[in-house]
Amino acid sequence: MSGAGGITRTRQDIAAGDIPVDTPRLPAREAAESELSKAMYHENDPNFLQRALNQFWDWVAGVFDAAAGAAPGGPAGLAVLVVIVIGLAAALWWRLGTPQRSARNTDALFDSTGPRSAAQHRATAEAHAAALRWTEAVQERMRAIVRSLEERALLDPRPGRTADEAAAEAGRTLPEHTARLRAAARSFDDVTYGGRTADQSAYLSLRTLDLELDEAKPLLPGTSRGATG
């Protein structure tokens, strides 16, 4: 009887419209997404920049975790490797110094302040020498030498020419002074780009060379070296 009564009770419930609610999954999910998309639920969300930074730091952390896993000794071994790399970089920096030029054309003999005569360079060199500024005196005397050769048409004026190039070109017309011209160019490069400091003897050597070159007779094209006298 109880079974028949239960069936009778179920039929009565259905007849009365008391049917359990069973919402389909897809409409329910769409309703939830629509509700959660409202601005009130996202007021405290990180902005685009914050999200990008978070992703970047997550990537960095992943890289370090991978490196720590691959390095001998784990994180401690990775820290030792980093210290070694930093130490090597510092040693190279101390040994080589700060890079002062990236290409050879930055070794130009004359600066960009405008052309000056040989007499002006000589006067500036003497002023530096009187103040015992031998490095600056050497630089200006070398410029005076090259400018004087240009003024005498023994060198073609050419912007960007280096001291070494000037010495090599001048040596073709003044072969008796080739070695001293190259030595003067090296002195200029040493104090200008090599970080060295000139002394009085270095300046006096360039000064003597400048005075001798001013009276030297050039080797004309087609003339042998023995015929210059």
Side-chain angles (χ1 to χ4, degrees):
M1 297 294 293
S2 59
I7 294 173
T8 303
R9 175 61 179 168
T10 299
R11 289 175 179 175
Q12 291 176 352
D13 291 340
I14 294 173
D18 190 9
I19 302 174
V21 177
D22 186 10
T23 305
R25 290 184 178 182
L26 183 58
R29 185 177 66 183
E30 292 177 348
E33 291 176 352
S34 177
E35 178 66 21
L36 292 177
S37 66
K38 295 180 179 179
M40 60 182 293
Y41 296 106
H42 302 278
E43 294 178 352
N44 298 320
D45 287 355
N47 56 33
F48 174 78
L49 179 60
Q50 290 174 328
R51 292 197 301 271
L53 287 174
N54 291 337
Q55 292 177 355
F56 172 75
W57 289 119
D58 290 342
W59 175 79
V60 171
V63 171
F64 275 98
D65 289 342
L78 178 62
V80 172
L81 291 176
V82 171
V83 171
I84 292 175
V85 171
I86 294 175
L88 290 174
L92 287 174
W93 186 273
W94 176 83
R95 178 66 180 84
L96 301 178
T98 304
Q100 298 188 21
R101 57 191 188 278
S102 58
R104 185 63 187 170
N105 57 11
T106 61
D107 295 356
L109 179 64
F110 297 100
D111 53 31
S112 58
T113 58
R116 302 173 65 198
S117 66
Q120 289 175 316
H121 284 295
R122 289 186 181 114
T124 303
E126 288 295 306
H128 285 308
L132 305 182
R133 295 189 293 266
W134 303 115
T135 295
E136 292 83 355
V138 164
Q139 292 171 326
E140 286 301 311
R141 203 75 196 196
M142 185 62 191
R143 291 176 179 131
I145 290 173
V146 176
R147 185 67 76 202
S148 176
L149 294 174
E150 291 177 349
E151 292 173 353
R152 295 171 59 193
L154 300 181
L155 285 179
D156 294 329
R158 177 162 57 85
R161 175 187 278 122
T162 67
D164 290 333
E165 291 170 346
E169 293 170 17
R172 299 188 186 103
T173 55
L174 297 167
E176 300 298 331
H177 298 84
T178 299
R180 296 176 63 191
L181 282 166
R182 290 177 177 173
R186 284 195 299 271
S187 296
F188 178 88
D189 288 343
D190 287 344
V191 300
T192 305
Y193 309 114
R196 298 185 182 181
T197 302
D199 54 16
Q200 183 179 14
S201 63
Y203 174 70
L204 292 178
S205 177
L206 264 71
R207 184 177 183 273
T208 301
L209 176 62
D210 185 20
L211 295 175
E212 291 181 2
L213 289 175
D214 201 37
E215 298 179 356
K217 296 180 180 180
L219 180 66
L220 300 178
T223 304
S224 63
R225 181 173 301 188
T228 58

